[in-house]
Amino acid sequence: MTGSEPCKMPRKTMILIFVGVLSCGLILVLLFTHSASQPELAKLTAEYDGSCEEKVTEALANGANDVIVVRKSDGQLYSTAWVAQIGKLNSLFQSREGREVAIFVNSVPARVRMTVCGGGTFQFKRGPGPHTMSGEDLEELNLKPGLNEGRYVCPELSEVIPFSVFLYDEDQKLVVT
């Protein structure tokens, strides 16, 4: 290789899936692919230290995204992000930051806990990422196939935020209309 040739580094392709519900009730599923170089991939997969991400946007209302969990053929569980928030309008006279949030699925408490960050968003205290639950923690939820009722509970702020967890096998078909 001469000095004028660019350095070729292997790239890995990641598939990102975003699921959202529009105000009219229509479910929106977006698939993106991103090809990352080794340095970019290392940055994306760096060890999570449990600290809150600094968000510029302030949460004004309570809310949570539903979670999709997929059981792969080898038995491993993977999920979409666990995202929720306590709005400023629901805690005007109390600070939200640092409050502990418990997760209940089918009325059973999860071992892992989340914390409320300054902007009102939730993040896991430990684990593979701020919005990612490990396969072992997902397994402990004892999910049943299909719909599972979940709720985030912050007792210090007297807030309960409902959401749903859906368990599917990787070979199942999902129809979005």
Side-chain angles (χ1 to χ4, degrees), residues 87-162:
K88 186 181 236 177
L89 301 177
N90 294 75
S91 59
L92 282 175
F93 303 111
Q94 288 181 298
S95 172
R96 300 166 291 181
E97 189 169 7
R99 307 297 177 137
E100 186 173 271
V101 177
I103 303 169
F104 291 83
V105 178
N106 296 326
S107 299
V108 177
R111 183 172 47 96
V112 295
R113 298 280 189 262
M114 297 182 97
T115 189
V116 182
C117 296
T121 58
F122 299 176
Q123 287 189 198
F124 284 108
K125 290 182 168 187
R126 61 171 182 76
H131 305 287
T132 308
M133 194 179 287
S134 71
E136 295 81 27
D137 291 331
L138 288 168
E139 196 67 52
E140 288 180 5
L141 295 176
N142 293 320
L143 299 169
K144 60 184 184 194
L147 175 64
N148 296 268
E149 295 298 324
R151 64 187 193 277
Y152 295 103
V153 178
C154 184
E156 296 172 87
L157 298 173
S158 301
E159 295 291 345
V160 177
I161 303 170

Side-chain angles (χ1 to χ4, degrees), residues 3-175:
S4 63
E5 294 177 15
C7 177
K8 298 279 186 189
M9 297 186 80
R11 298 181 74 81
K12 297 206 176 190
T13 301
M14 297 181 300
I15 298 175
L16 306 171
I17 302 173
F18 296 96
V19 179
V21 179
L22 301 177
S23 60
C24 62
L26 184 66
I27 297 174
L28 178 66
V29 178
L30 301 173
L31 296 171
F32 295 94
T33 59
H34 175 70
S35 184
S37 66
Q38 292 295 14
E40 290 172 24
L41 197 56
K43 190 188 301 184
L44 291 172
T45 59
E47 186 70 27
Y48 172 62
D49 64 1
S51 62
C52 284
E53 296 174 335
E54 293 300 322
K55 297 280 186 180
V56 177
T57 306
E58 185 77 26
L60 295 177
N62 290 357
N65 287 353
D66 289 344
V67 178
I68 297 174
V69 179
V70 175
R71 184 179 310 275
K72 302 287 277 179
S73 59
D74 64 1
Q76 285 283 9
L77 294 175
Y78 298 91
S79 73
T80 57
W82 294 71
V83 180
Q85 65 186 29
I86 290 180
K88 186 181 236 177
L89 301 177
N90 294 75
S91 59
L92 282 175
F93 303 111
Q94 288 181 298
S95 172
R96 300 166 291 181
E97 189 169 7
R99 307 297 177 137
E100 186 173 271
V101 177
I103 303 169
F104 291 83
V105 178
N106 296 326
S107 299
V108 177
R111 183 172 47 96
V112 295
R113 298 280 189 262
M114 297 182 97
T115 189
V116 182
C117 296
T121 58
F122 299 176
Q123 287 189 198
F124 284 108
K125 290 182 168 187
R126 61 171 182 76
H131 305 287
T132 308
M133 194 179 287
S134 71
E136 295 81 27
D137 291 331
L138 288 168
E139 196 67 52
E140 288 180 5
L141 295 176
N142 293 320
L143 299 169
K144 60 184 184 194
L147 175 64
N148 296 268
E149 295 298 324
R151 64 187 193 277
Y152 295 103
V153 178
C154 184
E156 296 172 87
L157 298 173
S158 301
E159 295 291 345
V160 177
I161 303 170
F163 67 103
S164 298
V165 181
F166 298 90
L167 175 62
Y168 298 108
D169 289 322
E170 73 175 329
D171 59 351
Q172 280 184 283
K173 304 284 188 265
L174 181 63
V175 178

